[in-house]
């Protein structure tokens, strides 16, 4: 899965946990949908553990895979 897609899914899951907002764009694959709900579950568990205030101060990161050629944005023109 592209890094940009993983970032979108994570941000969408954070928004859902914080205020119940579902992504405005539909999931393109079942893999994306499953990743979203997995992230929501994990993030909700984390927020329940640390509380909303600490959760809102937490920084989340998506790991970059140097071996994944799909992370290249094919539409970029230089």
């Amino acid at each position: 899965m592209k890094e940009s897609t993983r970032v979108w899914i994570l941000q969408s899951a954070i928004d859902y946990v914080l205020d119940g907002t579902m992504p405005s764009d539909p999931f393109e694959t079942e893999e994306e949908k499953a990743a979203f709900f997995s992230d929501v579950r994990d993030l909700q568990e984390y927020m329940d553990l640390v509380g909303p205030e600490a959760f809102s101060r937490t920084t989340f990161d998506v790991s970059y895979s140097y071996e994944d050629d799909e992370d290249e944005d094919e539409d970029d023109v230089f």
Side-chain angles (χ1 to χ4, degrees):
M1 188 180 313
K2 286 178 149 182
E3 181 183 20
S4 59
T5 302
R6 290 183 291 139
V7 168
W8 171 75
I9 289 171
L10 177 59
Q11 184 59 57
S12 297
I14 292 168
D15 292 343
Y16 183 80
V17 169
L18 289 175
D19 60 25
T21 303
M22 284 294 287
S24 57
D25 295 330
F27 300 109
E28 293 184 9
T29 66
E30 285 299 314
E31 179 186 22
E32 290 178 7
K33 185 176 181 179
F36 170 78
F37 286 109
S38 175
D39 284 356
V40 165
R41 183 189 67 244
D42 293 343
L43 291 168
Q44 186 65 57
E45 287 177 7
Y46 175 69
M47 186 166 76
D48 292 345
L49 180 67
V50 301
E53 188 175 323
F55 182 87
S56 67
R57 291 191 314 265
T58 303
T59 301
F60 298 96
D61 193 18
V62 172
S63 61
Y64 181 80
S65 172
Y66 290 97
E67 297 173 6
D68 189 359
D69 291 336
E70 291 183 17
D71 282 338
E72 297 295 323
D73 287 332
E74 297 165 4
D75 297 335
D76 287 350
V77 178
F78 296 96

